[in-house]
Amino acid sequence: NVSRLSSTDILLGMFTNAEYRNQTLALGPGDALVLYTDGVTEASRGDDEEEFGMDRLHDEMGPLHGREAEVLTRHLEQSVTEFLGDAHCGDDVTMVVVSRNL
């Protein structure tokens, strides 16, 4: 099961003196937190302008529940790369993945 955070904050490191809210998230055994830039979901092939999108991200991550952060990161990176094909990625694709395996 993939869930989307109900609230997020402004981009980290983009603005000098930015103030951020403290938030708490409890990860249960097998859960992971996947943080990513819009370059992941907005990656498009160029020919039809179809984006990788949130639905595809959820479809890719769902079956991997319980896997280590490294596996999740590699899988998502590979999925975005395959989706792009020969198209040039027009934005950064940055991910931070934390998993709880105990």
Side-chain angles (χ1 to χ4, degrees):
N1 184 22
V2 175
S3 300
R4 188 173 180 178
L5 294 176
S6 58
S7 66
T8 60
D9 219 319
I10 61 174
L11 183 63
L12 184 62
M14 185 72 169
F15 304 101
T16 305
N17 301 323
E19 293 187 27
Y20 298 92
R21 293 174 284 144
N22 287 326
Q23 297 186 57
T24 303
L25 176 69
L27 296 178
D31 289 348
L33 175 64
V34 179
L35 305 170
Y36 54 89
T37 59
D38 62 352
V40 173
T41 52
E42 294 176 2
S44 67
R45 293 183 264 233
D47 55 347
D48 59 7
E49 295 299 318
E50 177 186 3
E51 294 182 346
F52 189 79
M54 290 295 299
D55 290 341
R56 191 180 321 269
L57 180 96
H58 287 189
D59 291 346
E60 292 293 334
M61 293 291 98
L64 298 176
H65 184 264
R67 303 299 302 268
E68 297 83 12
E70 181 181 345
V71 171
L72 297 171
T73 305
R74 259 187 288 130
H75 180 81
L76 185 54
E77 180 182 25
Q78 181 179 354
S79 297
V80 171
T81 300
E82 287 176 5
F83 176 79
L84 285 171
D86 293 332
H88 172 71
C89 188
D91 200 352
D92 69 296
V93 174
T94 304
M95 298 169 264
V96 175
V97 180
V98 178
S99 63
R100 178 176 173 198
N101 300 100
L102 300 176

